[in-house]
Amino acid sequence: SLDPLNSNLGKNRAKHLLRRSCFHYNKNLVDIISNLTADEAVDYLQLDNTITLPEPYDPLPTESPHGYWLSSGIYPPDIPNQGRKRNLITGWWWYNMIKRNNLKDKMNFFLHTTFTISKGDVGASHYYWDHLSLLDYFSLGNLRDLAKRITLDNAMLNYLDNTQNNANNPNENYAREFLELFTITKGPQIGEGDYTTYTELDVQQAAKVFTGFKTQLDRSIIDPYTNLPMGRLSINNHDQNNKTFSHAFDNYVLIGGTNSNEIFNELYQFVDMIFNKEATAIAYVKKIYRFFVKSEWNADVEQNIILPLADDLFNNNYEVEPVVRKLLCSEHFYDADDFDSSDEVLGSIIKSPLQLFSETISSLGFVPP
């Protein structure tokens, strides 16, 4: 049942919520959460937005530290030791997370597992920083809007080669991942190149939609929506022809753009085409369920938990916070929706190394330097 659990959580349920919605907790926090309802607890876990370290610092080389290189104004590719600096950014993110308890941090990681990149293949560390900032901006926001902006993310443009995707030489890497992993995902294969939710034709057409979007290495273009650096559009490298999609998208014809406004509108219409399919909402809710509850479920859970949450996500235009809240506040999340006293396992998830490490740090009371 998705009915809300209205009683105070108590310690066992408080610990369960904290394990799933945060990367760490301590006894004091358990005591606070145990005296709250689930809804009150989710509110509480969104309060602390403290940023202990405003930006990372590079103390090397010792004789002349690079310092706050991200705000130095130096052309990003010209700055040395980018691998070390990407690691410093990761440490910066972790340090801020371990100093607070906020659902946003867990959702930031969820989006990282959804719109995946590898920090070693994104180019300059600045682009990795911007990518994490983009995920943070949308961590409790709108998945449709994030999908529209992730294409112009410099880290993503580098990681999946879309900066090399041109009208005269399409590169399908990003288009394939966008459909298969980032949004609607694969359904059962029902024919050659037909995966129910999309086809190989749709991958080819999507690649054409994505042509001409390039990295802006100096980070000089700012997205007015997020106020974050973004890539650029090379109009001459964009496929300006119409794109016709398969039966999976009702043979939708996307009008090719010939100027900047039209091409960006083409991109947004393409994303809307995908998000107007209920299969996309179901795919995201399944990801959310695996992330917060467990990796396997039966037909009863599919019918009474996943599909209703997918309806909520779809009908609320892909605002993710209400769906996550409803799941974390539900009787089902706390195994309070049945009378089987022989099975009181509150979901079962193998902890990620990040979860295990961070919980250990907090449990032992270790103070990170």
Side-chain angles (χ1 to χ4, degrees), residues 86-337:
R86 287 191 293 268
N87 289 336
L88 289 170
I89 290 170
T90 302
W92 171 91
W93 182 89
W94 180 84
Y95 186 83
N96 280 304
M97 174 271 289
I98 204 73
K99 302 294 283 187
R100 66 183 188 180
N101 289 94
N102 195 310
L103 176 61
K104 282 189 70 174
D105 294 322
K106 207 61 179 284
M107 285 301 297
N108 189 300
F109 189 67
F110 168 74
L111 293 179
H112 171 68
T113 66
T114 301
F115 297 90
T116 306
I117 64 166
S118 167
K119 73 176 187 294
D121 299 302
V122 299
S125 55
H126 302 65
Y127 316 141
Y128 179 50
W129 166 265
D130 294 336
H131 177 80
L132 292 181
S133 299
L134 182 66
L135 298 186
D136 183 71
Y137 185 93
F138 286 104
S139 57
L140 289 170
N142 193 283
L143 294 172
R144 185 196 295 258
D145 287 342
L146 173 57
K148 289 179 177 178
R149 280 161 176 81
I150 199 73
T151 297
L152 272 294
D153 174 58
N154 283 308
M156 186 64 76
L157 284 163
N158 275 323
Y159 178 63
L160 287 175
D161 307 317
N162 202 70
T163 195
Q164 302 168 23
N165 183 14
N166 299 310
N168 63 352
N169 187 23
N171 185 311
E172 295 179 3
N173 284 0
Y174 178 63
R176 187 172 300 279
E177 301 294 89
F178 195 86
L179 290 167
E180 183 176 344
L181 299 177
F182 295 174
T183 57
I184 199 167
T185 71
K186 270 186 180 180
Q189 186 165 351
I190 57 175
E192 185 176 354
D194 189 339
Y195 314 110
T196 308
T197 51
Y198 68 91
T199 70
E200 285 296 316
L201 172 65
D202 299 317
V203 174
Q204 296 161 11
Q205 298 302 297
K208 295 177 181 179
V209 173
F210 293 136
T211 53
F213 293 109
K214 308 289 184 183
T215 52
Q216 181 68 22
L217 299 183
D218 65 1
R219 303 165 76 224
S220 61
I221 302 176
I222 303 299
D223 180 1
Y225 187 92
T226 63
N227 204 35
L228 294 170
M230 59 182 279
R232 61 186 172 88
L233 169 62
S234 174
I235 295 175
N236 292 336
N237 286 303
H238 180 73
D239 187 320
Q240 299 179 12
N241 298 307
N242 294 349
K243 290 86 177 172
T244 302
F245 292 85
S246 75
H247 63 89
F249 294 104
D250 308 308
N251 305 115
Y252 186 81
V253 178
L254 186 58
I255 305 301
T258 59
N259 60 47
S260 180
N261 287 338
E262 291 178 355
I263 293 170
F264 273 95
N265 189 54
E266 177 187 336
L267 171 65
Y268 298 158
Q269 285 187 49
F270 167 74
V271 173
D272 286 338
M273 178 191 76
I274 296 172
F275 278 73
N276 288 341
K277 288 291 182 180
E278 292 183 0
T280 302
I282 294 172
Y284 278 122
V285 168
K286 286 181 176 179
K287 287 173 181 278
I288 291 169
Y289 191 87
R290 289 188 190 99
F291 190 81
F292 284 106
V293 186
K294 55 185 176 180
S295 60
E296 297 177 342
W297 56 85
N298 57 27
D300 185 50
V301 171
E302 179 100 10
Q303 188 65 36
N304 294 304
I305 305 297
I306 290 175
L307 293 182
L309 286 175
D311 286 341
D312 286 352
L313 186 63
F314 186 85
N315 293 331
N316 288 320
N317 193 32
Y318 290 88
E319 289 290 334
V320 73
E321 194 274 346
V323 170
V324 171
R325 173 185 289 272
K326 190 169 187 177
L327 178 62
L328 296 182
C329 294
S330 69
E331 292 180 343
H332 177 73
F333 181 72
Y334 299 97
D335 195 31
D337 56 350

